[in-house]
Amino acid sequence: MNPGILGRLFHSSPKPHIVESPPPPRIVRGPGMECREFDEKPYFIVASVEMGNTTTKCILTGVSLETGMSYVINKTVSMSRDVRPPKPGEEVFGKTLDGTELTRESVTELVRDTLIKCHKDAKLDIKKDLDFVVRSTGVVAAMDSPDQVGDFIIALANGCLEAGVPPKKMTPPMSKANQSAKLQPFSFADRVNFSGAVAGVVPPQGTTGVEMVANEMEGELAMAGIKEGAKWTPVDFRNPCISIDFGTTLDGRVTSDVDPTSTNPFSRTIGNFCGLAGAIPDSIVRGTGLVKERTGTALDIFGDKTSLTGAFALRKESDVVKEYVNRCNSLISVEVVPDDRTRYGMVPVYAKVASESGVALIGVDAGVNGSTLPDLALIGKEIITDHSLPVLHEVIDRVCAEMALRMIDVSKSMGLIFPNTSIGFTGRAAISGKKPDYILEGVIARKLFSDPVNHLVFVDDGLARGAALMGRCMNSLGKTNNPIGGVRGGRCIMSRRIAIGR
């Protein structure tokens, strides 16, 4: 056989860096004698409590204060659609994208039960073992403006309080003396102040002092989580960077480059992402009849892991797949959000504030606020009727990858990508199936970087990792020999932070 053909058949393509949550180390003392490292060594244990449009999660992470590395201790996940219905007299104050009604009481109970179960399964005590809690939500579709997220965060906080979380474990300590004894030896709280910057990035501040997108905090957590997850790879994911969270809704940030000699060591937020992400493949699968018409998701069929399913079997059907992908793409818009929009991809935004503040607001939508989602469902129905489940899987992977690449194209056109920029993804609609491979292929084809593989990373549980990192920032628990802040290839910024704080 022609060696050229053999080479093409067995040539290994570049593989993307994909980070999955490692379990915490165990200490082995002999046959049958071992214990969890975080039970004996100093660990900063954080609970991330997040209610999204599809799932509600409590993820416990433990950060080794000796190494600065983060581990997932336990994860409790439930479907948000299973929240109990409103009781008589309760006020509905929000809905998920699929229309599931929420009250403050029902959200409080769901969070409480999820938090308690997560700690019970991990054999941890909420009052004694937990160090910090971070709360966030992606349920923004039924809100009228970004500032309404505050009411939802209060409901999440009430759930934490009812689970037994002390209030002091949900706010930054006032001083090092207020921290627990195990944290104080590793804390810089007596030398630096928490200025609001997380992972070396200052949040955007609009001209009116309001947030520009309703899920601003999720974007901040995703950015921080990808920075932490990249520590398990060769990718130096420090500023400047693009962080994209492809959950049911879209969030994320673009950060600026920083002069290593500048007195101010922090990067600015120069871009935000908003709109639809996983809701698009969810709509496609809802047309197949394989999931519930209103509340079914792509997770119900394909799960959330990477897979090689159908990679060879679909080669002969590539033209068919390409046609369906093009039809789906024609129904999906990826653009800078127009100034006159107050909602984009169902997410409340202040587009004009973003524009006036010099922050690029990049959105993904299906039609106008999801108006073409029913058309995507019809395409899903056609695929499953005329073809097969592997074809459906391939179409969804390609469509999601194209969404991601189109976002990168818009960022590039806005001048938001620099030679030292790193790009990171988290969320099911970017890290499952073959999506990471296709996104990497697209980045390589665009010739944005001389070494594209090491400028791209895919991280699971980005919000939970980000919660752990936010907790560390609030408690000034830095690690100078394993820094998160600063610029790609640069030094730790702790000394400059101490200098500007004097």
Side-chain angles (χ1 to χ4, degrees):
M1 183 179 287
N2 186 325
I5 296 176
L6 273 175
R8 286 193 297 271
L9 282 174
F10 297 103
H11 175 70
S12 65
S13 301
K15 294 298 179 186
H17 294 295
I18 302 174
V19 182
E20 295 188 348
S21 301
R26 301 184 77 87
I27 299 174
V28 180
R29 294 197 171 88
M33 297 178 61
E34 63 178 33
C35 68
R36 305 177 299 186
E37 187 177 81
F38 60 83
D39 286 328
E40 293 198 1
K41 290 192 174 184
Y43 266 70
F44 182 60
I45 297 178
V46 178
S48 168
V49 180
E50 187 254 335
M51 185 169 189
N53 287 283
T54 301
T55 57
T56 295
K57 302 177 182 178
C58 176
I59 301 180
L60 285 171
T61 54
V63 181
S64 169
L65 295 174
E66 295 178 344
T67 67
M69 301 306 286
S70 180
Y71 305 88
V72 171
I73 295 173
N74 193 40
K75 184 188 307 187
T76 298
V77 183
S78 59
M79 302 303 288
S80 298
R81 66 194 178 202
D82 295 331
V83 66
R84 70 159 175 80
K87 292 180 179 179
E90 292 182 353
E91 179 183 353
V92 175
F93 78 122
K95 296 179 182 178
T96 62
L97 277 178
D98 61 27
T100 300
E101 294 184 328
L102 306 170
T103 67
R104 181 172 292 190
E105 293 82 3
S106 66
V107 170
T108 295
E109 290 175 22
L110 180 61
V111 169
R112 177 198 65 198
D113 296 344
T114 304
L115 195 58
I116 290 174
K117 184 179 188 305
C118 191
H119 281 79
K120 183 178 179 181
D121 292 345
K123 296 181 174 59
L124 290 174
D125 186 282
I126 290 178
K127 288 185 170 63
K128 295 179 181 178
D129 300 316
L130 183 65
D131 293 305
F132 207 75
V133 178
V134 176
R135 314 169 306 282
S136 63
T137 180
V139 182
V140 296
M143 298 178 185
D144 295 324
S145 63
D147 50 304
Q148 284 188 328
V149 176
D151 293 333
F152 207 109
I153 295 297
I154 291 173
L156 298 179
N158 289 339
C160 295
L161 293 172
E162 288 196 8
V165 177
K168 68 179 182 179
K169 294 185 177 182
M170 291 189 280
T171 57
M174 296 301 293
S175 67
K176 186 172 180 176
N178 292 333
Q179 294 176 320
S180 64
K182 75 170 182 178
L183 299 182
Q184 290 185 22
F186 303 92
S187 174
F188 289 84
D190 57 338
R191 303 173 70 183
V192 296
N193 295 319
F194 177 61
S195 61
V198 174
V201 182
V202 178
Q205 185 66 45
T207 54
T208 61
V210 299
E211 292 181 339
M212 300 168 193
V213 293
N215 50 357
E216 176 70 56
M217 184 175 179
E218 282 208 317
E220 182 172 50
L221 292 177
M223 175 204 66
I226 296 172
K227 282 176 176 281
E228 188 285 322
K231 287 294 182 182
W232 297 94
T233 75
V235 180
D236 186 349
F237 198 85
R238 290 183 289 165
N239 301 315
C241 61
I242 294 178
S243 308
I244 302 174
D245 179 9
F246 262 55
T248 304
T249 52
L250 173 69
D251 59 77
R253 282 185 172 178
V254 184
T255 71
S256 68
D257 201 355
V258 182
D259 183 349
T261 64
S262 170
T263 304
N264 184 348
F266 298 125
S267 176
R268 295 178 297 106
T269 299
I270 58 175
N272 264 334
F273 297 102
C274 66
L276 300 176
I280 288 175
D282 289 348
S283 293
I284 295 173
V285 302
R286 283 172 188 163
T288 65
L290 300 175
V291 300
K292 292 182 179 179
E293 185 177 353
R294 184 175 68 86
T295 60
T297 71
L299 277 173
D300 296 329
I301 300 178
F302 304 120
D304 60 354
K305 299 298 181 183
T306 56
S307 169
L308 295 174
T309 303
F312 290 95
L314 290 179
R315 284 182 177 175
K316 63 182 180 181
E317 297 180 287
S318 59
D319 289 341
V320 171
V321 170
K322 190 178 296 185
E323 179 189 347
Y324 282 120
V325 171
N326 289 338
R327 287 172 58 186
C328 291
N329 283 340
S330 69
L331 300 171
I332 302 167
S333 57
V334 182
E335 61 182 349
V336 175
V337 178
D339 285 359
D340 61 349
R341 295 288 291 271
T342 57
R343 189 182 293 271
Y344 197 91
M346 304 186 188
V347 175
V349 298
Y350 287 130
K352 189 174 182 181
V353 170
S355 178
E356 292 172 350
S357 304
V359 176
L361 187 57
I362 300 171
V364 176
D365 204 348
V368 178
N369 290 314
S371 62
T372 60
L373 291 178
D375 298 315
L376 289 167
L378 291 176
I379 292 177
K381 180 179 181 180
E382 183 179 327
I383 294 172
I384 207 67
T385 300
D386 298 342
H387 301 284
S388 62
L389 193 59
V391 172
L392 178 70
H393 195 177
E394 181 74 359
V395 169
I396 285 176
D397 281 355
R398 294 284 184 182
V399 168
C400 290
E402 281 299 312
M403 289 162 54
L405 292 168
R406 290 168 69 185
M407 292 168 64
I408 291 173
D409 289 339
V410 174
S411 299
K412 178 66 176 177
S413 70
M414 296 291 292
L416 304 179
I417 298 181
F418 311 98
N420 58 335
T421 292
S422 298
I423 303 175
F425 292 90
T426 189
R428 61 187 174 95
I431 68 171
S432 62
K434 293 283 289 179
K435 302 174 188 70
D437 297 85
Y438 298 151
I439 294 172
L440 175 58
E441 287 176 6
V443 170
I444 291 173
R446 282 159 173 77
K447 299 181 180 179
L448 298 172
F449 313 109
S450 59
D451 182 17
V453 175
N454 287 327
H455 281 259
L456 195 63
V457 67
F458 299 84
V459 177
D460 73 343
D461 294 328
L463 290 181
R465 293 174 184 274
L469 189 52
M470 177 176 278
R472 286 173 62 191
C473 291
M474 288 182 173
N475 285 270
S476 300
L477 299 171
K479 200 68 184 170
T480 54
N481 62 347
N482 192 16
I484 295 280
V487 297
R488 181 183 174 98
R491 300 174 58 185
C492 176
I493 62 174
M494 184 63 74
S495 60
R496 281 192 285 165
R497 288 190 60 193
I498 293 173
I500 65 175
R502 287 173 181 161

